[in-house]
Amino acid sequence: MGKQNLVCCEEDCVHCDAVQSVKCHMPGEQTTRLASDFFKAFSDKTRLRILAALAIHELCVCDIAELLGMTQSAISHQLRFLKQARLVSNRKEGKTVYYMLCDQHISVILRQGLEHVQEENGGDV
């Protein structure tokens, strides 16, 4: 993506009706803080890869570590973060703990984000 020219107004003129309309529909401080924390979980490449894997199939820590070529400890650390952010949940079956996405919203956000960057880059890079 090359350098883009930023176009600014040539005169200082606030459109009060538009500003007031938007102000009435803006999310509150608490909501934007929670959303900011939510999106931070997507900002790490490893967490994003874990979420992409879990969007396909539930997996245990061993599976994810093998898939990503990382240690179980590193994966556990990231899963803890994702669980605290309420993006993943888990279930225990015997001695194995399986992780999965919390709900369909996570899958949709992930899919749309990946589609967006793939469109800009002409497919997977």
Side-chain angles (χ1 to χ4, degrees):
M1 183 160 47
K3 216 175 187 183
Q4 297 177 350
N5 292 330
L6 184 62
V7 180
C8 296
C9 298
E10 292 182 18
E11 61 181 295
D12 190 7
C13 173
V14 175
H15 300 89
C16 295
D17 291 345
V19 171
Q20 190 58 40
S21 176
V22 170
K23 190 181 279 189
C24 291
H25 294 92
M26 288 283 291
E29 273 303 308
Q30 173 80 355
T31 300
T32 54
R33 185 184 60 74
L34 292 170
S36 175
D37 291 343
F38 171 81
F39 284 113
K40 280 179 192 168
F42 290 90
S43 69
D44 177 85
K45 181 180 82 167
T46 299
R47 290 192 296 263
L48 200 55
R49 293 180 75 208
I50 291 170
L51 291 171
L54 296 178
I56 298 167
H57 199 281
E58 69 177 14
L59 300 166
C60 73
V61 174
C62 302
D63 297 335
I64 299 168
E66 174 68 23
L67 182 68
L68 301 186
M70 298 176 67
T71 66
Q72 290 183 31
S73 175
I75 297 300
S76 291
H77 174 75
Q78 296 299 342
L79 285 168
R80 194 169 20 263
F81 185 98
L82 292 169
K83 191 168 182 186
Q84 288 173 343
R86 298 181 328 191
L87 297 180
V88 301
S89 59
N90 64 294
R91 68 175 182 84
K92 192 168 185 174
E93 188 176 297
K95 294 182 179 183
T96 305
V97 179
Y98 291 95
Y99 288 86
M100 70 281 305
L101 299 182
C102 274
D103 59 44
Q104 195 61 29
H105 295 112
I106 310 307
S107 182
V108 169
I109 291 166
L110 178 65
R111 186 185 77 248
Q112 288 181 343
L114 294 173
E115 286 174 1
H116 175 72
V117 297
Q118 288 172 339
E119 284 173 5
E120 288 183 353
N121 292 308
D124 196 42
V125 185

